[in-house]
Amino acid sequence: MASPGLRPVLAPTFLLPSVAEKRKALVPSPGLEETWDGELGGMEQGNRSKSVDLSHVIKLLEEPEPSTTEEQLQVLEKVANRYRYGILLNDIAQISKILNLCAEKSHTDKVFIEPTCEIIKLYGLPFSKKKLSDEVTYAKEVQEAISQLGCLMRVPCSQVKIQICKSIINFYHAEPPKKEFQVYQPVSANYKKHMVELGGLAETLVLSLTLVENQLTEKLWIIKTLQHLSISETNCQLMMKAQAPIRLCSHLNDVDPTGQLLFRSSEVLWNLLENTSKDEITDQFNNLECVQALKEAFTHLLLHGSRHYDRQLRNDILVIATLVAQIPGTPMIETGFAKQLILFATFHEVKSHNPLVKGLRITSSYEDFELKKLLLNMLTVLAKDLCSVQLLHEGKVILALFYYLKPNEKSGPVGMSAAQFEELQLLAIATLATVAPLLIEDYMTNCGNTRLLMFLEWCLSNEPFFAQGNSFHGTGGRGTKLAQMRYCLKVLNRVVSLCDGTVNLDLCDNGAIQQLLDILKKTTRKYEEDAIVLEIQTYVFLILSNLCENDTHRKELFGWDGIDILIPFLKMDAKKLYSGLGHNRLLVSALDCLWCCVLGCIILEDYFLENEGIFTLLDLLMLHQKSVCNLVLGLLVEFCDNPKTVSHINAWQGKKGQTAANMLISLWRQEEDDMGVKRDKDGRIVDTKQPLIGQFQKTQEVIPMPANCPTIAIMDVAENMRAKIYCIICKLGFENLPGLTAKDFVTLAIIRRYLDFKVGEVWSEICAELKKENFRPVPPYPEVLQITEAFENVGKMVLSLQTEMLESQKYQELQEEEKCYAKIQSLHKQREMVSKSWENFLTRTSNYEALKNAKGLQEKSIEISRSKVKPFKATLHPTDIKGLNTTIASGRLVTVESTPSELTGGPLADTDLALKRLPIRGGALKRIKEVKVIDSVKKGSESIK
């Protein structure tokens, strides 16, 4: 964490090229004895100063004669005066050498301390460059110079050390150079910071803490400098190499009247925790010295800190302690820090006689409120270490957390507002979800189930309550009790998932099943679907699943009402699954509830079938979501034990009349495509030795394993859906499955032999393991191991059957195609005959000779069709109309020439009535009389003529 006092460095303003050229033009020629001090802003309203030859200064400082001391001091003063507006990059190497010579002389002669500090001060000024490439060209020299600056901390002079720290801090707070003194272009804003990282200055400063153990002022300046350097991740890693946490914690509780030591050290530690990986920081914080120092600092500030500043620092130390406690193996218990933190977290809710909390008071201030939240959060962190469970039990943490499990009031305890109490309440319940499964005996001793169910009843009640929803745990619950309900159900889910018979029985005896069903009803009816409502419903289904699993009586308590509530959740719109609100988890939990609360109870299974439950499950298969499909197929396998299920599956129809068998076989093919099983374009077996093996299984090497460990072939059964599809189709039967195509029958041949192929895989693995271990089986086992050849023959037989199916299908398609072509040909022929007949008709109507020929042919055809043998005593009547010139059938016509009167059989033989009745009765005619039966035929004939 960066210090709040740090500010970003502002990039210096660059001069326009025209201005720079004008300034260079003002510089006199180098041949003059005196020159303008213009190389780095030496023009100050006409003031002149002599240029300094840095090489001459170095030679002068290297002279050991004391007589030259005064001259050396004068030259150093000129150097400091010349570069008082910043150092040029091409001079940095010589300036660094001058600084080292001054530092060496300051050991023996104190007069050089002041010049040394003045030159060190130059490093804090902005660097400048003549060319754009100078930053890269002189990068190594700058890096060495800054690194050497850190090494000067060995100089036994407080003034020098402090000035070094000030100059380094100026790297992060440097002011841009003044424009009126700016000639050359300043370096980029982050150039110095980057050089600090490359030079390893942070590591050097951490090591220099050992030089100032008894010097508070210098120590504070070094830690202040580290505070600025620790903003960078690279610097933090360098500080970790120098064991910064251990070195800082060793001085954390040193006497400091100013209070800055603890504050700045905590800032550095915080930055180290945030900017380094856990692997790097674990070893250094995992020691008694660091944890003990944090414990003493926190306890002192908590018990004796009364200022606002002390409270803030106390909370910062607790945050650092929380981050340290998350590191596995940290000695929080060995130092007694964990026990103290548990005591401070629960002293208000559970009365304690410990002298540490005798005079401790938590006020309604914001800092104390934050402290309470941090302490509750620390309980969650400590609970991750199972060694601290006994301390949580001794500290009565469960009882303290139950203190917040009550209806919210207008104002919280100790003068806290209602919003603050709500935030603590939600945090306490969330902490209870972590702690309660670890302290289940304390949970039951304090009637945890009863408390939670009563609190849930309040959440469902219409009692007025306006939640603030300010905290992280209150997200989505503003104005409602949903946040409280959500975390209360989370606690119940964690507790019930332990599968403790006593806990679950106590819940059921308190009417938990019916109360949970009421929650589903009310949340569905009262609230809109959002993330928090879906999470609540998910928790309810999971709790019901754990309660009702393997208990028929509890399934009966779930009852028909439970199924009526459950089915609408299974009929979820497919579009909602991609909304991101949690519909996927809700659907999976609802399916799990169906499995645990309905299956195994015949009454509920029948009721589920009556309400078209199987149709709903098959509709879910149409979503083609692998996780959902796998679970639904498992449910269908279990439901198939009910004899009524098969008829429901066969009766189902999907889109475009798709049947259940067709859909299951399609899922099989899709699963094999995902697995990379080799099949040809028609779906036939390619590898008869290993017809079921996918790409992943093929790449796995056979490893000899104990008999109780599943092999790859066995694991494959659980990892995909093929075994479940095989079981369902076995229940449906492999014969007379409706709605299957030829490709489905080809796949069905493989499904039918799935178990045989899987047994063959297991035997192949056994043979491979024996071969790998160089075992030679004794008789008759070699003959037994040849069983793999038999399974290969099964694969060949299935392949042959598939080929026969495809050939039969092709032959059938060919026959249907021929029938189709024959039908088309017949239609074309009929059309041709109709067309030819129409043409002949038109010819007859327009050509009289053609009409006569056609008439002759007609009469000839009629004559030929008559019988040549005349029956005995038979009377033949003509059927045509004489004189009719038409080739169209003239209709029915009978001509009677004579009828013998002796055959009439009555006095009415000569009447018309007799003529009408005798043909009907079958009597013989005695008198032949010509009768025209249809007058319309004549009229039609005349019209044709």
Side-chain angles (χ1 to χ4, degrees), residues 889-945:
S890 58
R892 298 175 183 177
L893 174 67
V894 177
T895 303
V896 179
E897 296 179 354
S898 63
T899 302
S901 60
E902 61 272 11
L903 297 178
T904 58
L908 300 176
D910 295 335
T911 63
D912 293 337
L913 179 62
L915 293 175
K916 294 179 181 178
R917 295 176 63 184
L918 284 175
I920 298 173
R921 296 181 181 181
L925 297 177
K926 293 184 178 181
R927 185 177 293 175
I928 300 173
K929 184 178 181 180
E930 185 175 353
V931 179
K932 300 289 192 299
V933 179
I934 302 174
D935 294 336
S936 61
V937 174
K938 277 188 176 183
K939 296 178 181 179
S941 299
E942 292 174 358
S943 64
I944 293 174
K945 290 181 181 181

Side-chain angles (χ1 to χ4, degrees), residues 326-603:
Q326 292 176 356
I327 301 173
T330 307
M332 298 291 291
I333 300 175
E334 292 81 354
T335 57
F337 199 11
K339 187 173 182 179
Q340 280 193 9
L341 291 172
I342 294 172
L343 173 65
F344 294 144
T346 60
F347 84 96
H348 175 73
E349 295 79 11
V350 179
K351 301 302 178 183
S352 175
H353 299 287
N354 194 303
L356 283 176
V357 296
K358 185 175 182 181
L360 183 60
R361 294 290 182 271
I362 300 295
T363 64
S364 59
S365 65
Y366 176 77
E367 287 74 21
D368 286 348
F369 173 65
E370 289 294 321
L371 172 67
K372 190 65 179 179
K373 291 197 298 181
L374 290 171
L375 289 172
L376 290 176
N377 181 62
M378 178 61 82
L379 296 178
T380 305
V381 176
L382 293 176
K384 295 180 181 179
D385 186 2
L386 296 180
C387 297
S388 61
V389 173
Q390 182 62 29
L391 296 178
L392 296 173
H393 166 70
E394 294 174 357
K396 299 181 180 179
V397 172
I398 294 292
L399 182 60
L401 296 175
F402 278 152
Y403 170 82
Y404 295 94
L405 211 63
K406 59 184 180 181
N408 297 53
E409 300 174 356
K410 293 183 180 180
S411 61
V414 202
M416 290 185 181
S417 64
Q420 288 179 330
F421 178 75
E422 179 193 357
E423 193 169 344
L424 288 178
Q425 180 188 58
L426 294 174
L427 181 57
I429 300 174
T431 305
L432 186 63
T434 303
V435 177
L438 302 175
L439 302 171
I440 196 64
E441 294 182 359
D442 294 351
Y443 173 85
M444 293 300 296
T445 303
N446 292 282
C447 303
N449 288 333
T450 305
R451 291 175 184 264
L452 288 171
L453 292 177
M454 290 178 63
F455 190 70
L456 276 176
E457 186 176 354
W458 172 78
C459 294
L460 287 174
S461 67
N462 295 324
E463 183 177 341
F465 169 71
F466 185 80
Q468 300 297 326
N470 296 328
S471 63
F472 165 78
H473 297 94
T475 303
R478 185 174 180 83
T480 64
K481 305 171 187 175
L482 291 176
Q484 285 80 0
M485 189 188 302
R486 170 194 180 189
Y487 282 99
C488 189
L489 289 170
K490 185 176 181 180
V491 177
L492 278 177
N493 182 45
R494 293 280 182 88
V495 171
V496 170
S497 61
L498 296 175
C499 298
D500 190 312
T502 305
V503 177
N504 293 356
L505 179 62
D506 182 64
L507 267 174
C508 295
D509 291 343
N510 282 285
I513 294 178
Q514 188 59 45
Q515 190 170 347
L516 292 170
L517 292 176
D518 291 340
I519 292 175
L520 287 175
K521 288 180 183 178
K522 293 186 178 181
T523 53
T524 304
R525 183 177 63 252
K526 189 176 179 181
Y527 302 103
E528 296 182 358
E529 285 188 350
D530 58 5
I532 187 170
V533 172
L534 294 178
E535 187 174 354
I536 288 172
Q537 294 170 344
T538 302
Y539 282 140
V540 171
F541 282 129
L542 292 176
I543 295 169
L544 288 171
S545 300
N546 285 311
L547 289 177
C548 298
E549 188 176 10
N550 302 325
D551 194 307
T552 306
H553 174 65
R554 295 176 189 172
K555 293 179 181 180
E556 292 174 353
L557 293 177
F558 182 80
W560 294 345
D561 291 341
I563 294 177
D564 291 337
I565 296 171
L566 178 61
I567 288 179
F569 287 96
L570 300 179
K571 295 180 179 180
M572 188 179 297
D573 188 2
K575 296 179 181 179
K576 293 182 179 180
L577 297 176
Y578 306 99
S579 63
L581 296 177
H583 288 88
N584 280 315
R585 289 176 293 180
L586 178 61
L587 179 59
V588 171
S589 62
L591 291 171
D592 185 57
C593 181
L594 173 63
W595 198 315
C596 298
C597 300
V598 177
L599 282 170
C601 182
I602 301 298
I603 299 174

Side-chain angles (χ1 to χ4, degrees), residues 104 176 243 594 633 687 711 755 861:
E104 290 178 5
Q243 298 184 337
L594 173 63
L633 288 172
D687 187 359
T711 61
L755 190 58
S861 177

Side-chain angles (χ1 to χ4, degrees), residues 609-659:
L609 293 175
E610 292 172 4
N611 286 272
E612 300 182 351
I614 294 297
F615 292 172
T616 304
L617 293 179
L618 291 172
D619 289 339
L620 287 175
L621 286 179
M622 297 291 292
L623 301 178
H624 297 293
Q625 282 203 349
K626 194 165 185 178
S627 58
V628 176
C629 289
N630 210 347
L631 190 54
V632 171
L633 288 172
L635 285 166
L636 290 174
V637 171
E638 296 294 332
F639 269 109
C640 283
D641 292 337
N642 191 320
K644 301 178 183 179
T645 304
V646 174
S647 60
H648 285 261
I649 295 177
N650 288 328
W652 177 84
Q653 282 190 350
K655 296 179 180 179
K656 299 181 180 179
Q658 185 182 23
T659 62

Side-chain angles (χ1 to χ4, degrees), residues 677-743:
V677 181
K678 286 187 177 180
R679 297 281 185 263
D680 64 4
K681 62 179 181 179
D682 296 320
R684 292 179 296 182
I685 294 175
V686 174
D687 187 359
T688 56
K689 292 184 179 180
Q690 297 175 330
L692 297 178
I693 291 182
Q695 190 66 31
F696 175 77
Q697 188 177 350
K698 188 176 293 185
T699 57
Q700 298 299 309
E701 184 180 357
V702 176
I703 302 174
M705 302 177 68
N708 59 346
C709 295
T711 61
I712 299 173
I714 302 301
M715 290 297 295
D716 175 74
V717 176
E719 289 176 352
N720 56 71
M721 300 185 291
R722 293 187 297 180
K724 298 182 181 66
I725 296 174
Y726 169 75
C727 293
I728 296 172
I729 296 182
C730 282
K731 294 289 184 179
L732 299 178
F734 291 94
E735 303 294 338
N736 301 323
L737 292 176
L740 299 186
T741 62
K743 191 173 184 180

Side-chain angles (χ1 to χ4, degrees), residues 802-815:
Q802 290 175 325
T803 304
E804 184 179 347
M805 288 179 181
L806 291 173
E807 291 177 353
S808 175
Q809 175 66 17
K810 290 180 181 179
Y811 177 76
Q812 184 178 357
E813 290 176 354
L814 182 61
Q815 293 295 322

